[in-house]
Amino acid sequence: MKNYLTYIALFLSILSVNAIANPSIANLKVGETTEIEMKKLYKAKRAKLSPYSKGNVYSIPAQELGIQKLDKVTAIFDEHEILSAVHLHTHKRNFDYFNDILGQKYRVVSEKIPFVGSSHVLYEQDDAVIFLNAPHMNFEMTISYMTVDFFKKRGEIRNAEAERKKEADANLL
């Protein structure tokens, strides 16, 4: 009986380690893949420096990922050349298609899918989040795979920018 319980515990620990690994998008694993590894896999072009991670931002040809229905792919690295985020851009009509796929793989943290208006779903796995975002009155939607740190930092910077703009408007009114 003791050996049986040991085997079950070992099996569950192996299963849980695999279940909580950071998500992977076509061999790109947020929080783990390096710039050098990404460049070996894809014909990426450096676009700019990220204000959120202080690392390089690359554009990857969407067809190279082998995922249907993508129009544009952006990979964002941190200052240590580790992948912080991947943004997949597609047409808004693909929301249900990608939501169904992601919903089978990741845990839903929050979702808002109204009949009319902006739709979004936030998933999580280990030290990463996946944000499916389809803004109202826009034809494009984004699927963003991000480390939790990048997600928080991006939110902080965006909130600070919005506050500065509001303050500037208040000073002009």
Side-chain angles (χ1 to χ4, degrees):
M1 181 69 170
K2 204 177 210 182
N3 285 340
Y4 180 71
L5 292 175
T6 303
Y7 287 121
I8 289 175
L10 179 63
F11 174 74
L12 290 175
S13 67
I14 291 169
L15 185 64
S16 66
V17 166
N18 289 332
I20 61 169
N22 281 350
S24 179
I25 314 94
N27 298 314
L28 297 173
K29 193 171 258 193
V30 293
E32 295 180 27
T33 301
T34 66
E35 279 187 54
I36 293 169
E37 291 169 337
M38 184 267 311
K39 289 177 187 176
K40 288 179 184 175
L41 292 170
Y42 303 108
K43 295 176 185 146
K45 292 184 181 176
R46 187 180 177 283
K48 61 183 179 178
L49 198 65
S50 169
Y52 308 123
S53 69
K54 307 295 185 221
N56 290 321
V57 176
Y58 290 87
S59 176
I60 300 173
Q63 66 275 12
E64 285 191 27
L65 268 68
I67 300 171
Q68 296 183 67
K69 304 180 183 194
L70 295 183
D71 300 323
K72 186 172 120 182
V73 178
T74 306
I76 303 171
F77 291 84
D78 65 17
E79 67 274 10
H80 305 292
E81 300 182 356
I82 302 295
L83 186 63
S84 293
V86 176
H87 301 302
L88 310 173
H89 303 267
T90 186
H91 196 280
K92 189 176 181 173
R93 70 175 165 260
N94 298 320
F95 184 88
D96 290 335
Y97 174 81
F98 285 106
N99 189 35
D100 289 343
I101 292 170
L102 295 170
Q104 293 174 21
K105 293 180 73 172
Y106 305 110
R107 187 174 80 82
V108 174
V109 176
S110 68
E111 72 179 350
K112 177 184 171 198
I113 307 174
F115 183 70
V116 175
S118 296
S119 296
H120 64 265
V121 181
L122 182 66
Y123 305 92
E124 73 174 358
Q125 183 172 349
D126 198 21
D127 191 33
V129 296
I130 301 100
F131 188 55
L132 183 61
N133 186 32
H136 186 59
M137 303 298 287
N138 198 332
F139 293 113
E140 185 180 85
M141 62 171 262
T142 307
I143 307 158
S144 298
Y145 289 73
M146 301 172 275
T147 62
V148 171
D149 288 342
F150 180 88
F151 182 67
K152 287 179 182 176
K153 184 73 170 174
R154 184 183 81 155
E156 290 168 4
I157 290 172
R158 286 184 173 180
N159 288 342
E161 288 172 357
E163 196 60 38
R164 274 194 299 276
K165 288 177 183 176
K166 184 177 178 181
E167 219 172 273
D169 286 346
N171 289 335
L172 295 173
L173 295 175

